[in-house]
Amino acid sequence: MNQPLRIGLIMQGGRGWIGGVEYIKNIILALSSLPDEERSTFEICLLYYGESFEQDIQNQLKPYLKGTYNLETELDSFTFFNRLKWKVKRVVFKQSDPRTSNFLKKNKFHFVYPFLVPDAEKAPYQGCPWIYDFQHKYFPHLFTQSDIDERDRGFAKIANSSSRVVLSSKTAAADFKKFFLNSECKTEVLQFRTSLPLSWYELNSVNLQSKYHLPDKFFIISNQFWQHKNHLIVLEALKILKASSIYPVIVFTGHPYDYRKRDYIDTILQTIHTCGLVNQVYLLGLIPRIDQIQLMRRSLAVIQPSLFEGWSTVVEDARCLGKKMILSDFPVHLEQDPPGSAFFDKHSPQQLADLIGEWWEKLKPGSNYEEETLAQARNREEVKTFGYRFLEIARIKAF
């Protein structure tokens, strides 16, 4: 009998980057959606650091995992002897991360993701790094110089040391080839899909609307309050519509903190008040994901105005629900191209205002159950395709 492929997935993100958590979670759920015969050929373990793996996420994923490992407690301690030993391994044997390497060998992993194993390193396991996006190349003013340097160093190390790298879109893969012209590193495109529990489709979304004291009609934007998410263009669009006596309501969800510009949320609040939009804008902050999805179901449509994305989780969530979307014309959004979407110039508040005004009058709140049922059926197949694609990447040179 062949040995099952032992996959170690390293948890990404946290409260400061919910998209990273959802990315790994969606890989686990996609793999778990595959037929029993296929699932018997692999096992999934989750590796995490400290509090990056919150209890509610643990409870959701536990049925699908062979094991979980907290690397803060699993890795060898920083004793003087260990530090000396690791230095020898780094210098003499070119081993990049001795502590983690020892752990991976001990637990007999075959494939670790996302994780860079340099080609020069002879290890009994394989890994593949992931580059989420090249936002810092297009919007350097949104980053500190140390952030830019750190990303450049990390991405260059991947380009120079790895035989392949995973990117979430064809757009990002093209960027990799543009920025690393001489790299022999092969790009693997893995376009992720969102998985939602079936029970979430059966909940009464009107109850969630009442919980947050929202009006019956509203659009929803679910993004963390980072500058590249382009919230201000939405407020500009509302200001334009207000001049024509059109008063749409927008609900914003997401963590209200941008570590790169701590006063960004203050700019949002000031704009709301100076433009007289207090009665049209609801800022709910970071709410439970189940609540966020129910509010999406209840909304007229989802708006995603971002200037930049690696592959938008918000778009994939809305796709699962069969919701209409108003999207900025950023290339990754065009690549995702969900059904029922309309695009606007990401720098044109007038184009956005025209779409919001039109849909405010035309659309009805709540789920379109026919569209939602069709979306569920499409999603089941798309999630399986995503799972098979991940396995294809994991099995390359895995044994």
Side-chain angles (χ1 to χ4, degrees):
M1 182 177 178
N2 291 333
Q3 185 180 15
L5 179 72
R6 188 165 166 82
I7 300 170
L9 294 173
I10 301 177
M11 179 55 78
Q12 307 293 296
R15 286 182 64 84
W17 180 33
I18 300 299
V21 176
E22 290 299 316
Y23 179 69
I24 295 299
K25 187 173 113 178
N26 283 324
I27 291 175
I28 293 169
L29 295 177
L31 291 172
S32 302
S33 76
L34 299 179
D36 291 346
E37 182 178 350
E38 189 67 56
R39 289 208 308 271
S40 69
T41 66
F42 62 86
E43 55 190 33
I44 314 166
C45 296
L46 190 63
L47 320 179
Y48 65 99
Y49 288 91
E51 298 179 356
S52 66
F53 189 28
E54 295 182 3
Q55 190 61 50
D56 61 334
I57 305 293
Q58 290 190 43
N59 294 338
Q60 290 177 44
L61 298 180
K62 188 175 181 180
Y64 312 115
L65 300 174
K66 184 70 173 178
T68 59
Y69 299 87
N70 184 344
L71 296 180
E72 284 192 1
T73 58
E74 293 284 347
L75 298 184
D76 297 333
S77 59
F78 280 104
T79 64
F80 173 78
F81 175 75
N82 280 339
R83 290 200 302 270
L84 182 62
K85 179 176 63 176
W86 298 331
K87 184 174 182 179
V88 171
K89 287 186 176 182
R90 283 194 298 268
V91 175
V92 178
F93 299 104
K94 309 299 182 185
Q95 191 170 322
S96 59
D97 187 357
R99 291 180 79 211
T100 307
S101 296
N102 292 343
F103 165 77
L104 297 176
K105 290 175 186 175
K106 175 183 174 183
N107 289 279
K108 299 180 180 179
F109 287 101
H110 299 117
F111 181 74
V112 190
Y113 180 81
F115 187 66
L116 171 62
V117 182
D119 288 345
E121 185 176 313
K122 291 180 170 50
Y125 51 84
Q126 296 294 324
C128 194
W130 170 49
I131 293 180
Y132 28 89
D133 61 48
F134 291 91
Q135 183 192 149
H136 71 294
K137 294 290 191 183
Y138 292 92
F139 296 95
H141 61 286
L142 300 183
F143 293 81
T144 64
Q145 190 57 51
S146 62
D147 282 342
I148 293 172
D149 293 343
E150 182 180 355
R151 287 193 178 206
D152 282 341
R153 281 194 302 269
F155 294 173
K157 186 174 181 181
I158 290 170
N160 297 328
S161 302
S162 183
S163 59
R164 60 201 178 114
V165 59
V166 169
L167 301 116
S168 297
S169 66
K170 295 176 183 176
T171 303
D175 280 342
F176 181 85
K177 292 173 181 176
K178 177 172 70 174
F179 295 125
F180 299 103
L181 283 172
N182 299 319
S183 174
E184 296 181 1
C185 183
K186 179 184 177 183
T187 56
E188 303 279 3
V189 176
L190 179 67
Q191 299 170 331
F192 71 79
R193 301 296 187 195
T194 296
S195 297
L196 300 178
L198 290 177
S199 60
W200 288 15
Y201 292 90
E202 299 167 0
L203 296 176
N204 187 342
S205 58
V206 176
N207 291 340
L208 264 296
Q209 175 189 329
S210 301
K211 174 182 174 179
Y212 291 100
H213 304 284
L214 301 178
D216 195 47
K217 289 176 63 177
F218 61 87
F219 294 96
I220 190 168
I221 298 174
S222 292
N223 280 326
Q224 301 195 177
F225 282 81
W226 293 343
Q227 293 174 85
H228 72 278
K229 298 297 186 178
N230 209 18
H231 294 85
L232 290 173
I233 198 173
V234 181
L235 302 181
E236 285 292 321
L238 291 182
K239 182 180 176 182
I240 291 171
L241 290 169
K242 183 181 178 183
S244 300
S245 300
I246 302 172
Y247 305 99
V249 173
I250 310 286
V251 172
F252 293 85
T253 72
H255 200 293
Y257 177 70
D258 186 342
Y259 73 96
R260 294 172 295 197
K261 187 173 176 57
R262 299 184 181 187
D263 62 351
Y264 180 60
I265 187 62
D266 295 333
T267 302
I268 297 289
L269 293 171
Q270 289 165 9
T271 303
I272 291 170
H273 285 274
T274 56
C275 293
L277 302 174
V278 174
N279 295 326
Q280 294 175 248
V281 176
Y282 289 74
L283 302 179
L284 303 188
L286 185 61
I287 64 176
R289 180 160 168 73
I290 187 171
D291 290 8
Q292 174 198 337
I293 294 299
Q294 295 310 311
L295 292 181
M296 280 189 178
R297 294 181 71 215
R298 185 62 190 160
S299 70
L300 296 175
V302 175
I303 302 175
Q304 172 56 303
S306 290
L307 296 172
F308 206 96
E309 294 286 338
W311 188 262
S312 174
T313 303
V314 171
V315 171
E316 293 306 319
D317 285 346
R319 188 200 300 270
C320 290
L321 302 172
K323 293 300 296 187
K324 288 186 174 297
M325 285 174 262
I326 298 176
L327 306 174
S328 59
D329 61 354
F330 171 65
V332 168
H333 285 162
L334 295 171
E335 187 177 336
Q336 288 185 268
D337 193 24
S341 55
F343 294 91
F344 70 95
D345 182 332
K346 60 184 179 292
H347 298 299
S348 173
Q350 183 64 61
Q351 284 189 20
L352 177 57
D354 290 343
L355 284 170
I356 291 175
E358 177 188 349
W359 286 19
W360 179 250
E361 299 298 329
K362 182 174 70 174
L363 300 183
K364 295 180 180 179
S367 301
N368 180 319
Y369 294 105
E370 182 178 348
E371 288 296 326
E372 198 170 75
T373 300
L374 289 172
Q376 284 184 66
R378 286 195 302 266
N379 178 250
R380 284 192 292 270
E381 295 307 310
E382 289 167 348
V383 166
K384 286 179 183 176
T385 300
F386 170 41
Y388 279 122
R389 175 62 181 138
F390 180 85
L391 278 184
E392 181 182 12
I393 293 169
R395 284 171 171 154
I396 296 174
K397 295 167 56 180
F399 290 102

